[in-house]
Amino acid sequence: MKKIVVFCLLASFMLSCGSKKAVTKKKSTSRTKTEQVVTKNDPRNNSGEEVVNGVEVRITSTDEYIALFRSIAQEEMRLYGIPASITLAQGILESNSGKGRLAIEANNHFGIKCHDWTGDKIYHDDDASQECFRKYNDSKYSYRDHSLFLTQRSRYAALFKLKKEDYKGWARELRNAGYATDRKYPEKLISLIDRYRLHQYDKEVLGDVYVKYEDEIGDFSMYYVERGDTMYSISKKFNISVDELKAVNKLSSTSLSVGQKLRIDKNSKEKAAVASNQQTSIKTVKENRFHIVEKGETLYSISKQYDMTVSELQKINGLKDNALNVGQELQVKPAN
């Protein structure tokens, strides 16, 4: 009996060790999940709050958004050269003034997708279902990542050749470089900047440089070349010569590219208006001196309109009879 008992105890001990080894082996082969994803169970999902400079806040308006992020955008401008007005306008547009899901749940204000991102992530329906977006612990890091995103990609290099004061040029070049597929993206950014006067934050950073830029463009407006434009068509639109247009913009040829910025003398619009008025005056004078024959009209009916006799009309116009043609031009008053 003692031998049997000892044998049972040994067997039980060996089975216990084997079980532990199996568990250990199974545990060691499991894969550690490094990707963190925000789910519907996230406690901030329904709070409507996001983190700004370490503080949870609830943003209810665009004005509040600007007040919270303008200093952050200005600091990014000082460090990376991106106009604060552009950064703020993009943040407002992409995050719905901080009220969008990506902003609230992931502190992502610019809709930047994962790409080569190794940090936390969130999945969100965008161009496709459940696309991967970057997730930040604080909204200020979203602003920093936006600066790095633009400065470290070669396709955005043309942006940094523009003046920092030229927010309209920046808005258009962002679209040209492929930041957004929306054709109206530049106009939306420009509209936000103008509406909320976001360019004032660029001016605060640049100081005298911005004032000099204002003086430089004071007598000029900017025209951005559109598809189908030629130097000739633009010159006609603003009533200036091709040579004047080239001289003002320091161009050596008439070649243009879509999105190219051209300086236009503001006075050219006034010149165009004057020229238009002159053409109207000439037309009016001509209409007073000439009559275009319409269907059903006769020399007699036309003579009555201008208090003339048929003989006078015939004499002035060198007519030998009363025959008229529709569209025929008749002089109704002697030229001065």
Side-chain angles (χ1 to χ4, degrees), residues 60-269:
T60 61
S61 69
T62 302
D63 288 326
E64 286 183 8
Y65 185 94
I66 295 168
L68 279 168
F69 290 102
R70 66 187 184 190
S71 60
I72 296 176
Q74 286 179 311
E75 181 62 16
E76 295 303 309
M77 182 177 181
R78 293 186 186 96
L79 293 173
Y80 296 94
I82 302 167
S85 59
I86 285 291
T87 303
L88 283 169
Q90 284 192 278
I92 292 168
L93 184 60
E94 299 286 350
S95 73
N96 187 25
S97 297
K99 297 190 289 291
R101 177 176 178 252
L102 289 177
I104 294 172
E105 297 182 23
N107 293 307
N108 187 332
H109 286 248
F110 299 94
I112 298 179
K113 297 179 182 179
C114 289
H115 302 295
D116 55 352
W117 181 249
T118 58
D120 293 350
K121 302 164 186 174
I122 179 174
Y123 291 88
H124 178 74
D125 292 345
D126 192 54
D127 297 327
S129 176
Q130 291 299 288
E131 289 192 89
C132 183
F133 289 84
R134 301 181 181 190
K135 180 177 180 289
Y136 311 93
N137 294 329
D138 193 304
S139 296
K140 66 181 180 182
Y141 300 131
S142 175
Y143 270 69
R144 174 57 50 85
D145 202 30
H146 170 264
S147 298
L148 296 174
F149 189 84
L150 294 183
T151 55
Q152 294 179 355
R153 284 167 170 74
S154 58
R155 63 182 171 132
Y156 297 113
L159 283 168
F160 298 92
K161 296 178 182 179
L162 298 171
K163 291 189 174 182
K164 298 179 183 66
E165 309 90 296
D166 183 16
Y167 63 86
K168 292 182 179 179
W170 276 75
R172 290 182 170 89
E173 184 54 39
L174 275 168
R175 169 68 175 80
N176 293 338
Y179 190 94
T181 56
D182 184 358
R183 291 183 179 180
K184 298 289 185 181
Y185 194 76
E187 288 72 18
K188 289 177 181 178
L189 293 182
I190 293 168
S191 176
L192 285 169
I193 293 171
D194 290 340
R195 179 180 178 183
Y196 293 100
R197 300 185 67 251
L198 301 181
H199 47 75
Q200 66 181 301
Y201 305 119
D202 299 337
K203 190 172 183 178
E204 288 176 6
V205 173
L206 295 171
D208 292 340
V209 175
Y210 196 97
V211 173
K212 183 178 179 181
Y213 175 76
E214 287 183 323
D215 291 340
E216 179 184 335
I217 66 170
D219 294 328
F220 295 91
S221 58
M222 296 298 172
Y223 178 80
Y224 290 85
V225 177
E226 299 177 353
R227 189 176 300 279
D229 278 342
T230 64
M231 191 71 79
Y232 178 76
S233 67
I234 296 171
S235 70
K236 289 300 179 185
K237 180 181 291 187
F238 293 99
N239 196 42
I240 55 178
S241 69
V242 171
D243 288 338
E244 286 177 308
L245 196 56
K246 288 170 61 179
V248 168
N249 290 280
K250 299 179 181 179
L251 299 174
S252 58
S253 72
T254 57
S255 299
L256 297 173
S257 57
V258 175
Q260 183 177 345
K261 181 176 65 176
L262 295 177
R263 288 153 54 98
I264 305 294
D265 186 347
K266 288 181 179 178
N267 294 327
S268 65
K269 293 184 178 180

